[in-house]
Amino acid sequence: MNYIEPTSLSNSFTCPHCGTLSKQRWWWTDWNKSIGHQHKQQYPIHIGTCDHCDESTMFINDTLFYPDSGNAPFPNPEMPESVLKLYREASSIHIKSPRGAAALLRLAIQVLTKELGEPGKNINTDIGSLVKKGLPVIVQQSLDIVRVTGNDAVHPGQIDTDDRETVGQLFKLVNVIVEYMIDLPKRVGGIYDSLPEEKKDGIEKRDNK
């Protein structure tokens, strides 16, 4: 399912509470709790309610204020716990500090390379090692995008890591990496294991010729 980032007054987006792409019901107010005297865009506070889970999101001056978990895509269910912890922390500060989120996501993929069997000490070396082992190009590119952007978050660089949209793409890429390297192999492997033994024996004999 496509992830649609929550934005103020949108008809629908991916709910940060339930993860469902759902229609939103809106109302708006100001700090004096007045409603209805101005155009909705002129009110600083916009509150949307998800049609699916009935939970609310609050935007103040078009910035997501609640929930405080941020508006990053939901993590892939197969994301390792050590990576998930960093992903969630990055999500929680994404709105307030995109630069900090980028740095945390860089650390997350460094931890992920260790989960994939690499030493985990030098992320660039680890990616190179994975490439030699047949890492798909799309995963290599995703890893390097997160690595380079994360590096620029902590060192002077050319990438604007204060831009929420730029950093927001990194969350999607971390999910892409987990999907290709952990989720898909697990799902395909499970289906393959369910094949009759004689069929798998035939495949093995074919490949050993």
Side-chain angles (χ1 to χ4, degrees), residues 6-9 13 15-17 24-31 33 43-50 54-71 95-96 164:
T7 53
S8 182
L9 299 176
F13 52 67
C15 175
H17 294 283
Q24 303 292 317
R25 307 186 303 275
W26 291 97
W27 63 280
W28 39 90
T29 185
D30 59 22
W31 301 111
K33 299 183 180 179
Y43 286 92
I45 304 171
H46 301 152
I47 298 174
T49 303
C50 173
D54 215 35
E55 293 287 345
S56 295
T57 53
M58 178 188 291
F59 292 81
I60 298 178
N61 295 322
D62 294 330
T63 297
L64 182 64
F65 184 80
Y66 175 83
D68 195 33
S69 57
N71 59 354
I95 300 298
K96 303 180 184 72
R164 290 203 300 264

Side-chain angles (χ1 to χ4, degrees), residues 1 3 72-80 83-84 87 105 108-109 112 139 142 146 168-184 187:
M1 182 181 68
Y3 171 78
F74 272 53
N76 187 295
E78 296 298 331
M79 188 175 291
V83 181
L84 180 61
Y87 185 97
L105 290 174
I109 63 163
L112 181 56
V139 180
S142 298
V146 179
Q169 298 300 316
L170 304 186
F171 290 96
K172 297 178 182 178
L173 293 177
V174 173
N175 275 320
V176 165
I177 297 163
V178 173
E179 180 177 5
Y180 271 80
M181 299 305 293
I182 299 175
D183 190 12
L184 277 175
R187 281 190 282 158

Side-chain angles (χ1 to χ4, degrees), residues 36-201:
H37 301 293
Q38 306 175 70
H39 190 273
K40 59 186 177 182
Q41 296 284 5
Q42 295 178 285
Y43 286 92
I45 304 171
H46 301 152
I47 298 174
T49 303
C50 173
D51 265 2
H52 183 261
C53 69
D54 215 35
E55 293 287 345
S56 295
T57 53
M58 178 188 291
F59 292 81
I60 298 178
N61 295 322
D62 294 330
T63 297
L64 182 64
F65 184 80
Y66 175 83
D68 195 33
S69 57
N71 59 354
F74 272 53
N76 187 295
E78 296 298 331
M79 188 175 291
E81 188 62 35
S82 57
V83 181
L84 180 61
K85 182 178 179 181
L86 292 164
Y87 185 97
R88 285 176 171 161
E89 185 178 353
S91 176
S92 71
I93 66 169
H94 173 216
I95 300 298
K96 303 180 184 72
S97 176
R99 183 183 297 269
L104 283 168
L105 290 174
R106 182 208 174 279
L107 179 58
I109 63 163
Q110 184 166 350
V111 172
L112 181 56
T113 60
K114 189 172 183 179
E115 293 280 352
L116 296 174
E118 300 303 320
K121 294 180 179 179
N122 184 309
I123 188 172
N124 197 38
T125 302
D126 288 347
I127 294 172
S129 174
L130 288 168
V131 168
K132 291 176 182 177
K133 296 175 183 177
L135 187 73
V137 172
I138 191 171
V139 180
Q140 171 262 308
Q141 291 176 344
S142 298
L143 283 165
D144 278 322
I145 291 169
V146 179
R147 176 184 65 83
V148 170
T149 308
N151 284 346
D152 277 15
V154 293
H155 303 292
Q158 297 178 327
I159 300 172
D160 183 7
T161 52
D162 287 323
D163 179 55
R164 290 203 300 264
E165 186 174 346
T166 297
V167 176
Q169 298 300 316
L170 304 186
F171 290 96
K172 297 178 182 178
L173 293 177
V174 173
N175 275 320
V176 165
I177 297 163
V178 173
E179 180 177 5
Y180 271 80
M181 299 305 293
I182 299 175
D183 190 12
L184 277 175
K186 184 175 181 179
R187 281 190 282 158
V188 173
I191 297 170
Y192 183 84
D193 287 344
S194 68
L195 292 175
E197 286 300 323
E198 62 269 19
K199 301 297 183 183
K200 289 189 286 186
D201 289 343

